[in-house]
Amino acid sequence: MTVESSSTEHSSALAKRRNDVSLNRYSGRFAPSPTGPLHFGSLITAVASYCDAKAHQGLWHVRIEDTDIPRIYPGSEEHILRAIDAFEFEPDSDIIFQKDRLDIYEDVIQQLHKKNMVYACQCTRKMLGSNHIYVGTCRDLALPFHDQAIRVKVSDHDICFQDHLQGQHCSNLKTDLGDFVLKRRDGIINYQLAVVVDDFLQGMTHVVRGADLLNNTERQIWLGQLLDYPRLEYIHLPLAMNDQGQKLSKQNMAQALDLSKPSELLQQALHALKQPAIELDQPHKMLQQAVAQWNLDLIPHRTHLDGVFI
Ligand code: GLU
């Protein structure tokens, strides 16, 4: 796809979304990054996003967030797809892969450029040192975009949202973070940009994901505001922790989901989410029952689940 056609696609999607009568229909998603095989924490997110969407007669989509090519773990995309089948989840649209959509994200950077909201930055990690707040060194240098990181400007005000489980969360991006990177110098599109653009283009209304992403939300709200996208609802789930007190993650060597035991694992995931007990059965029947008795309020309104998981 050329940038021109993606630009047309993006503008017509924008117009369509504004007029879309189904705009208010709940749409949710499960958006794993293939940086390792799915683990029990990923299953909790998949189950909760699915059940919450279906309990609202909504749509549920799957998106593979694979823009960070160097971090892709061989075989993990395949494991994700096999897991979707093994647990008998039925996505309401074809699964999309972000690495096929890079032109769209480039086009959105151009749109932000026209609004004078992005700039090229030549600061290396070494130059920034241990300073986690970017002070805007390159903001007014008007450097050419080629082969440089691209940052978006932030402003000095509180951005707040009301999370359905975690309550109110606010950040002043200027003082907490500074202008942040949308595209790295090596050309990799940052997760923050791709997630916002695709949530919009896929018509999402709700984001259900792990509480480890809570602190990313204000950045995503800010980008959505700059692009005139509608606001989303957020549900950040408490995280499953291992015996070292770390969240289950690919980096911490969490065990890959055993796809030969989908029913047992579904039962455990629903138990971890404090949903009413569910009998072992075929996965799709268990999911149906889980949707029928789904109660978001029973999920602990905290950032961590009780107990130890592997
Ligand atoms: N791709 C992200 C991850 O696997 C999740 C993104 C999101 O749900 O917003 O951690």
Side-chain angles (χ1 to χ4, degrees):
M1 196 193 300
T2 62
V3 170
E4 209 173 305
S5 68
S6 72
S7 163
T8 319
E9 180 185 319
H10 185 262
S11 337
S12 60
L14 190 68
K16 182 171 171 297
R17 285 278 286 117
R18 294 207 191 296
N19 300 322
D20 204 340
V21 280
S22 68
L23 196 64
N24 293 326
R25 180 163 185 193
Y26 185 126
S27 285
R29 83 300 194 275
F30 174 52
S33 303
T35 49
L38 293 186
H39 50 74
F40 190 69
S42 334
L43 180 64
I44 287 181
T45 305
V47 168
S49 60
Y50 181 86
C51 290
D52 203 59
K54 295 297 159 186
H56 289 87
Q57 289 77 45
L59 302 169
W60 184 76
H61 309 273
V62 175
R63 181 171 72 224
I64 310 290
E65 302 209 312
D66 52 0
T67 54
D68 197 347
I69 312 256
R71 288 188 61 223
I72 293 180
Y73 183 83
S76 56
E77 291 204 344
E78 203 211 332
H79 183 259
I80 295 171
L81 301 181
R82 282 197 291 119
I84 301 294
D85 280 350
F87 290 98
E88 299 177 5
F89 287 115
E90 285 185 9
D92 290 300
S93 60
D94 289 344
I95 297 177
I96 69 166
F97 293 77
Q98 290 187 323
K99 69 170 173 320
D100 300 336
R101 300 163 65 77
L102 300 180
D103 287 345
I104 297 177
Y105 314 131
E106 292 286 349
D107 173 55
V108 173
I109 291 178
Q110 287 310 317
Q111 289 179 31
L112 290 169
H113 191 29
K114 281 189 197 133
K115 296 184 186 204
N116 191 27
M117 289 310 297
V118 287
Y119 61 90
C121 173
Q122 64 187 0
C123 298
T124 58
R125 224 172 258 182
K126 206 167 154 198
M127 285 156 79
L128 298 174
S130 57
N131 192 355
H132 295 299
I133 300 163
Y134 183 70
V135 293
T137 316
C138 297
R139 219 187 216 232
D140 301 316
L141 298 185
L143 296 167
F145 273 35
H146 193 62
D147 286 342
Q148 304 285 15
I150 306 299
R151 287 184 187 266
V152 63
K153 297 178 185 174
V154 297
S155 79
D156 187 5
H157 71 276
D158 276 350
I159 295 177
C160 296
F161 66 99
Q162 194 65 30
D163 188 272
H164 289 262
L165 288 176
Q166 309 293 338
Q168 199 188 51
H169 204 267
C170 296
S171 170
N172 178 324
L173 292 177
K174 180 97 184 169
T175 52
D176 291 346
L177 183 75
D179 299 341
F180 58 95
V181 172
L182 297 185
K183 184 181 169 185
R184 297 194 326 224
R185 179 194 296 268
D186 61 5
I188 301 278
I189 296 289
N190 188 290
Y191 152 70
Q192 310 293 349
L193 177 66
V195 80
V196 168
V197 171
D198 284 338
D199 280 344
F200 168 69
L201 288 177
Q202 292 190 287
M204 299 307 167
T205 58
H206 288 67
V207 170
V208 180
R209 61 187 179 192
D212 51 329
L213 294 168
L214 203 50
N215 286 336
N216 292 241
T217 307
E218 289 89 353
R219 267 173 271 179
Q220 296 169 11
I221 292 174
W222 174 242
L223 281 176
Q225 281 174 1
L226 293 180
L227 291 161
D228 284 333
Y229 296 167
R231 264 267 192 152
L232 303 173
E233 300 289 326
Y234 292 96
I235 299 167
H236 283 91
L237 303 163
L239 301 172
M241 310 297 277
N242 67 16
D243 57 359
Q244 312 282 310
Q246 304 159 319
K247 81 162 182 117
L248 293 193
S249 74
K250 296 138 193 172
Q251 291 73 24
N252 294 330
M253 300 300 168
Q255 255 182 37
L257 288 173
D258 178 351
L259 302 185
S260 68
K261 295 195 175 106
S263 303
E264 287 79 356
L265 287 167
L266 271 181
Q267 194 178 47
Q268 289 163 24
L270 288 157
H271 180 72
L273 289 163
K274 305 282 184 250
Q275 297 300 298
I278 204 158
E279 300 273 302
L280 286 180
D281 203 334
Q282 289 166 313
H284 73 273
K285 292 202 179 136
M286 293 177 73
L287 283 172
Q288 235 170 32
Q289 198 194 331
V291 168
Q293 56 195 34
W294 180 249
N295 185 346
L296 187 71
D297 270 339
L298 296 177
I299 300 176
H301 289 41
R302 285 185 277 112
T303 52
H304 300 114
L305 289 168
D306 285 337
V308 168
F309 300 85
I310 48 169

